[in-house]
């Protein structure tokens, strides 16, 4: 046995003399900027805030809680985690010897004219041979080149990656629910604006009809006022339809069949924060799920390169089997006479497949290089997303202030036009124009405020918030 083991060790040392295993590629992102474009150096970030702390409106939190519990995409992500966990458990069994139990019984009748038949008839005095066998077979592959270790590393990284994918799905769901709720509140506000404008136009129409009866205006004035009223009235079914569609979309996100959505808040109740902390770009590597997922993808690619490399080198397999064997069933369990045992070992070195294995190794290295590029692209894209949302928030704030001033001016213009029209110092076209401008201005105001709220949510998601 000692000579047997020494022989194998000598062969392994000889094979190892020509082997050089590859090294892993470390994190290739070394030039992450110190801060975002706004120059902020504060390390605190809203991305680290839990959902319940970032969203202060109870109605939004209730919808998000329902979505996190029932959303189909999230449930699929959880199933993927379960599958990855099973793959990891299987990979952990790579170093465990395989043990198989085999029980066989067969009967062989050779031809009477064959050499086996003549020998059996002459020496065993029988025309057939029986064989009864029960054995345990053990096989174990030594992980000399780290192939099994790399398989474990790949499986573990895959498991962690599936968890990060689930987090990324969660951040998307949280953002979509919040934005959908803000969109719903915007539509509610626009519906009120349209209804208020209808009342205003109706009052103006009555006033114009009175002046028509008094002979102060022509029928054209009535027709213009009626057209203005119908234009505002047309918005009602459009907005109502959009509200139903938005409620249905939120219902789907929360894993429910279409139903009405409880508001318990209005767009006017919500405030847009003056400033949101973004921290520094390095936080994205730690918090943002898609960035961490790509980093784990690089670890998987590293492991696959190691596996492909190890496949080109000799593999050592040690096997052993033992059990009971007999030509007669009556002697099958006659111990120790029926006992047998075999121990063996083998080194397998691919020869004709080496070109194919070499190609697979080179392809694995190319895939790893692609993973490096994808990782870098994801980091750059994440930093760009944060910068985009920062710019959007700043400019939307300025735009909102401008539109708010415009609406206030138009509200005053509507009041003055009505007073001037009643006193005969303004014509009906000035009144109708002022009312139409006010309608558009108030609708713009609700749209821009909603865009501000959505930009805040987008920034929260871009910083990796929503899964904590």
């Amino acid at each position: 046995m000692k000579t047997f083991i020494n022989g194998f060790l000598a062969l392994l040392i000889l094979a190892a003399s020509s082997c050089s295993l590859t090294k892993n590629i470390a994190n290739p992102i070394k030039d992450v900027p110190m801060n975002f474009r706004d120059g902020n150096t504060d390390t605190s970030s809203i991305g680290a805030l839990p959902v319940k702390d970032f969203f202060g409106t109870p109605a939004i939190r209730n919808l998000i809680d329902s979505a996190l519990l029932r959303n189909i995409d999230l449930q699929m992500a959880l199933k993927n985690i379960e599958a990855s966990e099973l793959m990891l458990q299987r990979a952990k069994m790579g170093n465990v010897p395989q043990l198989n139990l085999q029980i066989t019984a067969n009967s062989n009748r050779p031809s009477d004219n064959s050499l086996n038949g003549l020998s059996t008839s002459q020496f065993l005095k029988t025309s057939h041979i029986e064989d009864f066998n029960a054995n345990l077979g053990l096989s174990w592959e030594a992980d000399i080149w780290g192939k099994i270790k790399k398989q474990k590393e790949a499986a573990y990284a895959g498991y962690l990656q599936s968890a990060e994918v689930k987090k990324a799905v969660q951040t998307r769901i949280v953002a979509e629910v919040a934005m959908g709720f803000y969109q719903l509140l915007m539509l509610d506000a626009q519906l009120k604006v349209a209804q208020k404008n209808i009342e205003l136009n109706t009052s103006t129409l009555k006033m114009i009809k009175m002046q028509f009866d008094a002979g102060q205006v022509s029928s054209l004035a009535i027709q213009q006022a009626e057209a203005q009223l119908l234009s505002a009235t047309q918005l009602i079914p459009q907005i109502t339809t959009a509200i139903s569609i938005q409620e249905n979309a939120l219902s789907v996100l929360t894993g429910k069949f279409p139903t009405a959505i409880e508001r318990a808040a209005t767009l006017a109740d919500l405030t847009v924060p003056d400033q949101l902390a973004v921290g520094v770009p390095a936080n994205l590597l730690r918090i943002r799920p898609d960035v961490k997922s790509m980093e784990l993808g690089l670890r998987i690619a590293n492991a696959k390169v190691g596996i492909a490399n190890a496949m080109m080198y000799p593999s050592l397999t040690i096997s052993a089997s033992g059990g009971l064997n007999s030509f007669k069933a009556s002697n099958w369990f006659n111990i120790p006479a029926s006992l047998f045992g075999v121990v063996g070992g083998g080194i397998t070195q691919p020869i004709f497949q080496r070109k194919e294995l070499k190609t697979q190794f080179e392809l694995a290295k190319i895939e790893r290089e692609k993973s490096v590029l994808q990782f870098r692209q994801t980091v750059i894209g994440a930093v760009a997303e944060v910068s985009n949302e920062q710019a959007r928030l700043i400019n939307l704030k300025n735009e909102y202030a401008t539109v708010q001033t415009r609406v206030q001016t138009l509200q005053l213009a509507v009041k003055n036009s009505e007073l001037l029209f009643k006193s005969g110092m303004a014509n009906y076209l000035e009144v109708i124009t002022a009312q139409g401008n006010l309608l558009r201005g108030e609708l713009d105001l609700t749209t821009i405020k909603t865009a501000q709220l959505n930009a805040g949510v987008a920034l929260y998601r871009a910083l990796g918030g929503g899964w904590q």
Side-chain angles (χ1 to χ4, degrees):
M1 177 62 72
K2 184 176 180 180
T3 304
F4 174 78
I5 296 175
N6 289 338
F8 272 108
L9 290 176
L11 288 174
L12 287 175
I13 293 172
L14 180 63
S17 62
S18 60
C19 298
S20 59
L21 299 181
T22 61
K23 295 182 179 180
N24 289 343
I25 292 181
N27 189 329
I29 308 299
K30 303 295 184 182
D31 57 345
V32 178
M34 296 298 295
N35 47 59
F36 294 103
R37 286 191 62 180
D38 66 348
N40 176 59
T41 58
D42 186 6
T43 57
S44 61
S45 168
I46 58 173
L49 292 176
V51 172
K52 61 182 179 63
D53 293 338
F54 183 76
F55 296 101
T57 306
I60 295 180
R61 291 202 300 265
N62 292 337
L63 282 173
I64 290 175
D65 289 341
S66 180
L68 296 182
L69 181 65
R70 305 172 60 117
N71 183 267
I72 305 301
D73 289 340
L74 275 178
Q75 293 183 35
M76 290 289 291
L78 288 173
K79 293 299 179 184
N80 290 335
I81 292 176
E82 292 179 12
S84 297
E85 187 175 8
L86 291 175
M87 297 290 287
L88 176 59
Q89 292 175 358
R90 184 181 70 177
K92 287 181 178 179
M93 301 295 291
N95 283 110
V96 177
Q98 295 183 6
L99 184 64
N100 299 312
L101 172 64
Q102 183 180 33
I103 300 176
T104 61
N106 58 71
S107 177
N108 179 22
R109 188 190 186 286
S111 168
D112 291 338
N113 294 326
S114 67
L115 180 61
N116 289 337
L118 293 173
S119 299
T120 300
S121 175
Q122 181 178 358
F123 295 104
L124 300 180
K125 308 303 182 182
T126 181
S127 60
H128 65 278
I129 302 173
E130 296 179 346
D131 186 37
F132 301 91
N133 186 69
N135 71 84
L136 285 173
L138 184 143
S139 177
W140 177 71
E141 181 180 352
D143 192 23
I144 301 172
W145 315 118
K147 179 177 67 176
I148 298 175
K149 179 183 177 182
K150 292 295 182 181
Q151 290 173 343
K152 291 181 182 179
E153 290 179 6
Y156 182 62
Y159 170 70
L160 295 178
Q161 189 179 50
S162 66
E164 293 301 327
V165 170
K166 182 259 181 184
K167 292 176 184 178
V169 172
Q170 182 171 322
T171 61
R172 175 177 62 82
I173 297 301
V174 167
E176 288 180 355
V177 169
M179 290 181 179
F181 186 78
Y182 292 148
Q183 185 76 10
L184 193 57
L185 295 187
M186 182 198 73
L187 293 171
D188 289 342
Q190 290 183 345
L191 184 61
K192 291 180 180 179
V193 168
Q195 291 170 341
K196 185 177 68 173
N197 194 267
I198 288 174
E199 294 176 2
L200 186 62
N201 288 335
T202 301
S203 175
T204 301
L205 180 60
K206 289 180 180 179
M207 187 167 52
I208 292 176
K209 285 182 177 180
M210 291 175 62
Q211 292 196 351
F212 174 77
D213 293 338
Q216 297 178 357
V217 296
S218 66
S219 60
L220 178 60
I222 295 178
Q223 293 167 356
Q224 292 275 28
E226 288 177 342
Q228 178 84 347
L229 175 61
L230 291 172
S231 178
T233 303
Q234 182 184 358
L235 293 175
I236 301 299
Q238 294 177 355
I239 296 174
T240 303
T241 300
I243 288 174
S244 297
I245 293 174
Q246 190 60 50
E247 286 183 322
N248 294 343
L250 282 171
S251 297
V252 172
L253 281 173
T254 55
K256 301 176 182 176
F257 287 101
T259 184
I261 300 297
E262 178 64 31
R263 308 313 197 254
T266 64
L267 190 63
D269 297 331
L270 304 180
T271 57
V272 179
D274 292 333
Q275 189 173 4
L276 295 172
V278 298
V280 294
N283 288 340
L284 299 179
L285 302 179
R286 180 175 53 88
I287 298 177
R288 187 159 157 152
D290 61 334
V291 173
K292 295 174 69 176
S293 177
M294 292 305 301
E295 184 178 4
L296 290 167
L298 178 56
R299 287 174 55 182
I300 294 173
N302 264 327
K304 288 184 176 179
V305 169
I307 294 171
N309 189 43
M311 292 294 291
M312 295 188 294
Y313 301 142
S315 60
L316 169 62
T317 303
I318 299 175
S319 61
S321 63
L324 303 172
N325 182 252
S326 175
F327 285 110
K328 293 183 178 180
S330 59
N331 294 332
W332 196 3
F333 297 100
N334 185 0
I335 299 176
S338 296
L339 289 175
F340 78 94
V342 178
V343 177
I347 296 178
T348 303
Q349 170 64 54
I351 298 177
F352 296 108
Q353 297 84 10
R354 185 169 180 80
K355 179 62 177 178
E356 179 183 352
L357 295 175
K358 179 67 174 178
T359 301
Q360 292 177 358
F361 175 58
E362 295 299 328
L363 288 174
K365 289 197 294 184
I366 292 174
E367 290 298 320
R368 182 173 63 181
E369 292 170 1
K370 289 167 59 178
S371 296
V372 171
L373 296 175
Q374 291 170 351
F375 180 36
R376 182 174 180 81
Q377 182 64 30
T378 302
V379 174
I380 293 174
V383 175
E385 283 183 28
V386 174
S387 299
N388 291 344
E389 298 307 328
Q390 283 182 292
R392 186 173 286 112
L393 277 171
I394 293 172
N395 290 288
L396 283 172
K397 181 180 179 180
N398 297 332
E399 185 180 0
Y400 183 81
T402 301
V403 175
Q404 192 175 39
T405 302
R406 177 163 68 92
V407 169
Q408 292 172 352
T409 303
L410 288 171
Q411 289 172 342
L412 182 61
V414 168
K415 291 181 181 180
N416 291 337
S417 66
E418 289 178 349
L419 292 175
L420 292 172
F421 181 68
K422 289 178 181 179
S423 62
M425 299 178 65
N427 59 46
Y428 69 91
L429 287 177
E430 292 175 307
V431 177
I432 292 175
T433 301
Q435 291 176 349
N437 290 337
L438 178 61
L439 173 62
R440 288 188 293 272
E442 290 180 334
L443 292 177
D444 288 343
L445 199 62
T446 62
T447 301
I448 295 172
K449 183 172 183 179
T450 304
Q452 285 182 288
L453 294 169
N454 286 341
V457 175
L459 180 61
Y460 179 59
R461 181 189 175 190
L463 291 168
W467 61 265
Q468 294 88 348

